[in-house]
């Protein structure tokens, strides 16, 4: 018995997407974040861009922030999205360090700063330098998680359906406590 089938396009998609430009076109502050609007122009010859990953790196303190754009972020050949940076991120300049593109056929191409191109990494140079500078007065990164200091129920015993108030005390050294989540289990693990 012999069985075969043919896929529509005889040559297939073996060419990775191409990065044309990256720009920061706006900024805004929302809650505890500073956001930067990214605008990326990229194209693919056949299957279409599946996603774009961008990394901005702060060479002064070796910290990075990333943003992934998908085909859903595309309008008229331009991919846009907001890169979120915590207001507690230390001051410094973040430079566009790496952009990776993948198409629907899983072809991949990465771009980096010209100084980072090596024979072995097969990356191409970024089309232009893009950066943003934070100057919010933060000198060090918040790298320590909050501490739970105490948990106290309002009653030691309750009947089914009764209300119970739980008081939790927590602290954080720099950015503050965002939330406290508690879970209680009985002897059977429920």
């Amino acid at each position: 018995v012999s069985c075969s089938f043919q896929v529509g396009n005889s040559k297939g998609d073996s060419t990775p997407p191409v990065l044309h430009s990256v720009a920061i076109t706006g900024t805004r502050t929302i809650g505890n974040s500073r956001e930067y609007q990214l605008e990326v122009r990229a194209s693919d010859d056949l299957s279409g861009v599946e996603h774009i990953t961008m990394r901005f790196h702060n060479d002064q303190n070796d910290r990075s922030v990333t943003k992934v754009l998908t085909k859903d972020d595309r309008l008229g050949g331009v991919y846009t999205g907001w890169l979120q940076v915590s207001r507690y991120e230390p001051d410094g300049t973040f430079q566009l360090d790496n952009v990776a593109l993948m198409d629907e056929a899983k072809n991949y191409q990465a771009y980096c700063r010209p100084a980072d191109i090596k024979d072995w990494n097969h990356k191409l140079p970024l089309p232009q330098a893009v950066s943003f500078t934070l100057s919010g007065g933060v000198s060090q990164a918040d790298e320590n998680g909050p501490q739970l200091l105490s948990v106290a129920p309002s009653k030691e015993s309750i009947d089914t359906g009764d209300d119970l108030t739980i008081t939790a005390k927590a602290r954080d050294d720099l950015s503050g406590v965002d939330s406290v989540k508690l879970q209680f289990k009985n002897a059977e693990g429920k």
Side-chain angles (χ1 to χ4, degrees):
V1 173
S2 176
C3 180
S4 66
F5 65 90
Q6 182 175 349
V7 177
N9 189 333
S10 61
K11 74 176 193 164
D13 184 355
S14 60
T15 307
V18 176
L19 176 66
H20 302 292
S21 67
V22 178
I24 296 174
T25 58
T27 61
R28 67 185 183 191
T29 301
I30 295 182
N32 285 331
S33 296
R34 184 79 176 150
E35 295 187 345
Y36 299 86
Q37 188 173 35
L38 303 175
E39 184 177 281
V40 180
R41 296 183 185 276
S43 62
D44 187 62
D45 64 340
L46 196 56
S47 62
V49 176
E50 198 267 332
H51 74 270
I52 302 167
T53 304
M54 291 167 286
R55 182 179 68 216
F56 289 81
H57 187 257
N58 183 337
D59 292 334
Q60 294 124 332
N61 60 19
D62 201 32
R63 294 184 55 87
S64 296
V65 291
T66 60
K67 176 66 180 172
V68 176
L69 298 174
T70 67
K71 57 188 174 187
D72 296 334
D73 298 313
R74 180 177 184 260
L75 182 63
V78 178
Y79 298 81
T80 60
W82 291 92
L83 171 70
Q84 240 182 21
V85 182
S86 169
R87 75 178 193 131
Y88 302 106
E89 184 66 39
D91 291 349
T93 299
F94 283 82
Q95 296 180 12
L96 182 60
D97 180 59
N98 194 71
V99 177
L101 297 99
M102 184 175 286
D103 67 13
E104 293 286 346
K106 304 306 178 207
N107 297 307
Y108 172 85
Q109 181 62 62
Y111 295 77
C112 65
R113 292 184 268 188
D116 295 334
I117 294 176
K118 310 288 184 229
D119 290 336
W120 54 266
N121 67 13
H122 306 289
K123 293 183 179 180
L124 298 175
L126 288 165
Q128 76 274 353
V130 178
S131 65
F132 61 90
T133 301
L134 295 176
S135 56
V138 178
S139 60
Q140 68 180 29
D142 185 355
E143 296 176 343
N144 298 320
Q147 292 178 310
L148 182 62
L149 302 174
S150 65
V151 177
S154 60
K155 303 174 193 172
E156 293 296 320
S157 177
I158 61 169
D159 292 326
T160 303
D162 285 352
D163 288 336
L164 177 67
T165 301
I166 304 294
T167 303
K169 187 174 181 183
R171 72 171 175 215
D172 186 68
D173 61 341
L174 288 177
S175 60
V177 177
D178 177 65
S179 63
V180 176
K181 296 180 183 179
L182 303 171
Q183 181 179 14
F184 293 87
K185 291 184 179 182
N186 67 11
E188 291 83 38
K190 294 183 180 177

